[in-house]
């Protein structure tokens, strides 16, 4: 009887220890979450290296769209290509950032469909890490796309008046905006049933945000009702802020509005993306 009691007591203690360990593992510290996020980012970078086609939209699109929009719309909108480039290049930056961050949700859905995330759910890791890790890796893609857009503009005659610091500030703001908006597409990736569905929903978001803004045409030339939407469109604030940084090197109020918008998007969509992802596991 005594031996049985001792055995039961030991088993109970073992179960209690395992429960405590499980609770500790399910709630990693901030440092552990950061380390796990960086590990997931490194995994995403290795995946990009093995699948270079993921850089197609990063490398080809900035070069193609910059040349096409400049030579097709430059004369009609601004009278010449040279006069249109200060308007166009920041707009192409915003469009490229949206297109690149759109693929974040598509890649996430593909990984979930392949069962990759089923392996993560049995590991003692933060639920935030598998989502944030690839997005940290995507910062490299945003940076490459932004730099190539600027270089393609320089190649066809664009001369930014803001100098090196203004260009660096504009690129940094574009990368920050792309990273924040990627949380929207990450959330869609956890909701949709297929990667094709994520792409369809993302395109339906990207086109209104990009083309119903001041990215490619002056807002003053649009109908009054459309000007109202353009004024509250967060992409318009990003484009205006980048234009000021690139063309004059000045930090305007649009920089503050753009950063505030980025913070609001992250505060809203990052938690619901993590919650939606956790429910799928």
């Amino acid at each position: 009887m005594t031996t049985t009691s001792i055995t039961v007591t030991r088993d109970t203690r073992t179960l209690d220890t395992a429960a405590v360990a499980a609770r500790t593992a399910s709630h990693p510290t901030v440092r552990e979450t950061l380390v796990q996020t960086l590990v997931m980012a490194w995994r995403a970078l290795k995946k990009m290296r093995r699948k270079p086609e993921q850089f197609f939209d990063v490398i080809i699109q900035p070069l193609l769209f910059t040349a096409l929009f400049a030579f097709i719309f430059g004369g009609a909108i601004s009278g010449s290509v040279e006069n249109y480039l200060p308007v166009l290049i920041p707009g192409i930056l915003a469009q490229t950032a949206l297109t690149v961050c759109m693929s974040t949700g598509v890649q996430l859905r593909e990984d979930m469909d392949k069962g990759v995330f089923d392996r993560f759910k049995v590991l003692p890791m933060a639920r935030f890490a598998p989502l944030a890790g690839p997005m940290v890796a995507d910062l490299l893609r945003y940076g490459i796309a932004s730099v190539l857009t600027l270089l393609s503009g320089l190649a066809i005659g664009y001369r930014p008046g803001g100098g090196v610091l203004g260009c660096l500030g504009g690129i940094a703001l574009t990368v920050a905006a792309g990273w924040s908006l990627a949380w929207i597409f990450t959330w869609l990736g956890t909701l949709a049933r297929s990667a094709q569905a994520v792409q369809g929903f993302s395109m339906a978001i990207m086109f209104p945000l990009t083309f119903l803004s001041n990215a490619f045409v002056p807002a003053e030339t649009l109908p009054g009702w459309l000007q109202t939407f353009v004024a509250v469109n967060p992409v318009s604030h990003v484009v205006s802020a980048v234009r000021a940084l690139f063309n004059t090197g000045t930090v305007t109020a649009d920089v503050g509005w753009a950063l505030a918008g980025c913070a609001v998007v992250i505060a809203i969509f990052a938690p619901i993306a993590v919650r939606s992802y956790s429910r799928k596991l």
Side-chain angles (χ1 to χ4, degrees), residues 17 69 119 201 235 245:
T17 302
F69 279 63
R119 303 176 185 177
F201 291 141
V235 174
L245 290 168

Side-chain angles (χ1 to χ4, degrees), residues 7-275:
T7 302
V8 172
T9 302
R10 287 178 178 175
D11 290 343
T12 303
R13 289 177 179 176
T14 302
L15 291 174
D16 290 341
T17 302
V20 171
R23 286 194 297 269
T24 303
S26 63
H27 298 285
T29 64
V30 174
R31 181 181 180 279
E32 290 172 340
T33 301
L34 178 60
V35 172
Q36 293 162 6
T37 299
L38 294 178
V39 170
M40 291 293 101
W42 178 246
R43 171 187 174 273
L45 288 174
K46 292 179 68 175
K47 182 180 176 182
M48 291 178 190
R49 187 186 64 182
R50 294 171 182 172
K51 296 179 66 177
E53 60 269 17
Q54 291 187 17
F55 286 95
F56 178 82
D57 57 343
V58 174
I59 297 175
I60 303 300
Q61 180 176 304
L63 305 177
L64 182 63
F65 279 17
T66 302
L68 284 177
F69 279 63
F71 291 107
I72 292 177
F73 299 119
I77 295 176
S78 299
S80 67
V81 174
E82 291 76 14
N83 292 334
Y84 188 47
L85 289 177
V87 177
L88 174 67
I89 299 302
I92 293 292
L93 277 173
Q95 183 193 44
T96 302
L98 271 173
T99 305
V100 172
C101 71
M102 181 181 69
S103 64
T104 303
V106 177
Q107 294 294 329
L108 172 66
R109 185 68 257 176
E110 288 181 351
D111 281 346
M112 294 180 70
D113 291 340
K114 293 176 181 177
V116 175
F117 285 86
D118 290 336
R119 303 176 185 177
F120 297 154
K121 69 181 180 182
V122 299
L123 298 176
M125 63 187 305
R127 293 290 183 248
F128 179 78
L131 300 182
M135 293 181 62
V136 172
D138 280 343
L139 292 174
L140 175 64
R141 301 175 72 234
Y142 303 147
I144 293 174
S146 299
V147 170
L148 286 179
T149 300
L150 179 59
L151 291 178
S152 60
L154 294 173
I156 60 178
Y158 177 52
R159 297 296 179 264
V164 176
L165 291 179
C167 291
L168 290 177
I171 290 174
L173 180 59
T174 302
V175 171
W179 192 82
S180 64
L181 291 173
W183 281 108
I184 300 176
F185 302 110
T186 298
W187 174 58
L188 291 175
T190 64
L191 293 179
R193 296 183 178 181
S194 66
Q196 292 78 10
V198 177
Q199 188 170 13
F201 291 141
S202 300
M203 295 290 285
I205 295 174
M206 185 196 73
F207 276 107
L209 286 178
T210 303
F211 289 98
L212 298 183
S213 70
N214 62 351
F216 303 115
V217 297
E220 297 77 16
T221 63
L222 301 175
W225 62 269
L226 189 52
Q227 290 185 31
T228 303
F229 178 81
V230 171
V232 298
N233 187 344
V235 174
S236 296
H237 292 293
V238 174
V239 172
S240 297
V242 175
R243 277 189 186 134
L245 290 168
F246 271 21
N247 296 329
T248 63
T250 56
V251 179
T252 63
D254 285 307
V255 175
W257 283 112
L259 292 176
C262 292
V264 170
V265 169
I266 294 173
I268 294 175
F269 287 96
I272 64 175
V274 174
R275 188 178 302 113

